């Protein structure tokens, strides 16, 4: 699938750069254009892709400090600048636009849904969100911001692939130390998915096509991506179990949204040397995916690449009824109620002391 990527905010810009780098290193050429948009000048400087600074009149290049309402306002007022920076980048060959953002912050959280809405209005091709959920250990503000942002992004984009920041995070590292490695994991997995329909080598009936990615995401709402790989034998006949077990691992332990297995549609992409991909294994893995996801729409295809390993990518479309997502939206709502209670307490305390006849000590 030929894509144009737009990263909004700090995480959005960094993840977009990692995706560009991965696509370039692998020689896939599925990323046809990339842009990073931010209100914070310092976050744009280290990026090696083209950038647009928005909201200069409001925040003077200093960012919105976690205020996603301000992030949304700024994107709305400077949307013309962003759209003109994209002019000429979204050519006739582009098959999808992807808006990438961390949903828990300010600029990306508020800006991504606004941008997705405007892009959908202007362009015919699908506009997808690639949204990063804050880890469980991040504060209440991040959870509330992400809940509100996700609700809006899922409505405005044609589909939103969600990545939980706890999902591809190696143990023993703090979330922040781990960002670079998480970003590389995201780039590898999402980059492979985007490139999977672009295979030139071994074009044949079983090779996955971009339209299958688009059809899997057609049910809209929230999508998730699973990935796992393993060493494989030279001979396809001995790899039946390798294919079935990497597919199980991709869905059960390697997913971007843990515990989200019920889906409206799914796509299984098996990547590796074509002569090593067991047809029997692929058939079994697809059957298993139908049972596990409860979906009768499980598509499948190969992605021929020159690798010693076999990998499974499992794209799930329409996972919004999953337990993980329900739990996340419930927590975001509770965090918002708690923040409102604290605000009320503060106001009452202020009132109590304002009308006091006593002089304060200092
Ligand atoms: P913004 O610049 O105001 O949009 O805010 P950020 O992009 O920093 O968004 C904050 C959220 O994104 C938090 O939930 C962070 O955990 C997450 N985040 C920040 N930087 C990165 C990064 O490089 N990689 C990943 N995966 N998440 C990040």
């Amino acid at each position: 699938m030929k894509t144009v990527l737009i990263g909004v905010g700090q995480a959005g810009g960094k993840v977009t750069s990692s995706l560009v780098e991965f696509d370039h290193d692998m020689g896939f050429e599925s990323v046809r254009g990339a842009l990073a948009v931010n209100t914070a000048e310092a976050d744009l400087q280290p990026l090696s892709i083209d950038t647009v600074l928005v909201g200069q009149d409001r925040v003077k290049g200093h960012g919105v400090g976690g205020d996603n309402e301000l992030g949304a306002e700024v994107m709305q007022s400077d949307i013309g600048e962003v759209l003109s920076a994209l002019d000429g980048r979204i050519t006739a060959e582009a098959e999808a636009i992807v808006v990438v953002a961390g949903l828990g912050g300010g600029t990306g959280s508020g800006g991504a849904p606004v941008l997705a809405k405007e892009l959908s209005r202007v362009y015919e091709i699908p506009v997808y969100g690639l949204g990063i959920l804050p880890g469980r250990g991040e504060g209440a503000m991040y959870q509330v911001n992400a809940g509100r942002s996700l609700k809006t992004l899922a409505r405005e984009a044609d589909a939103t692939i969600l990545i939980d920041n706890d999902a591809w995070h190696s143990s023993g590292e703090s979330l922040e130390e781990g960002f670079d490695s998480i970003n590389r994991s995201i780039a590898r997995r999402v980059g492979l998915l985007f490139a999977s329909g672009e295979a030139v080598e071994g074009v044949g009936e079983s090779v996955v096509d971009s339209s299958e990615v688009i059809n899997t995401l057609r049910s809209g709402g929230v999508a998730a991506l699973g990935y796992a790989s393993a060493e494989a034998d030279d001979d396809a006949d001995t790899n039946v179990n390798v294919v079935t077990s990497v597919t199980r691992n991709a869905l059960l332990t390697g997913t971007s949204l843990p515990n989200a297995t019920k889906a409206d549609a799914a796509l299984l992409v098996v990547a590796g040397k074509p002569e090593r991909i067991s047809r029997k294994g692929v058939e079994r893995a697809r059957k298993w995916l139908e049972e596990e996801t409860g979906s009768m729409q499980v598509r499948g295809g190969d992605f021929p690449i020159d690798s010693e390993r076999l990998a499974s990518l499992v794209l799930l479309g329409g996972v919004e009824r999953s337990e993980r997502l329900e739990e996340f939206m419930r927590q975001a709502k509770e965090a918002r109620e708690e923040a409102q209670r604290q605000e009320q307490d503060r106001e009452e305390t202020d009132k109590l002391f304002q009308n006091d006849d006593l002089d304060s000590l200092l």
Side-chain angles (χ1 to χ4, degrees), residues 8-15 37-40 43 63-67 101-110 132-135 138 142-143 146 163-165 175-176 178-180 182-183 186:
V8 190
Q10 187 185 15
K14 282 174 16 191
V15 169
V37 183
N38 209 329
T39 57
D43 291 341
V64 299
D67 180 347
L103 303 185
T107 303
S109 175
I132 297 158
L133 279 187
E138 294 188 57
Y142 290 88
Q143 314 295 337
I163 293 161
D164 183 334
N165 244 345
L175 187 59
E176 254 136 67
F179 279 159
D180 285 346
I182 296 177
N183 295 352
I186 297 174

Side-chain angles (χ1 to χ4, degrees), residues 130-134 136 160-169 185-186 189-190 222-227 249-260 314-316 319 324-325:
L130 179 63
I132 297 158
L133 279 187
R136 280 186 171 78
T160 298
I161 302 175
L162 261 194
I163 293 161
D164 183 334
N165 244 345
D166 287 332
W168 294 335
H169 166 219
S185 298
I186 297 174
R189 290 150 169 80
V190 176
V222 177
L225 182 64
Y227 172 88
N249 289 344
L251 185 72
L252 300 178
T253 58
T255 169
S256 66
L257 201 58
N259 300 328
V314 176
L315 175 66
L316 300 180
V319 294
R324 169 67 181 113
L325 215 55

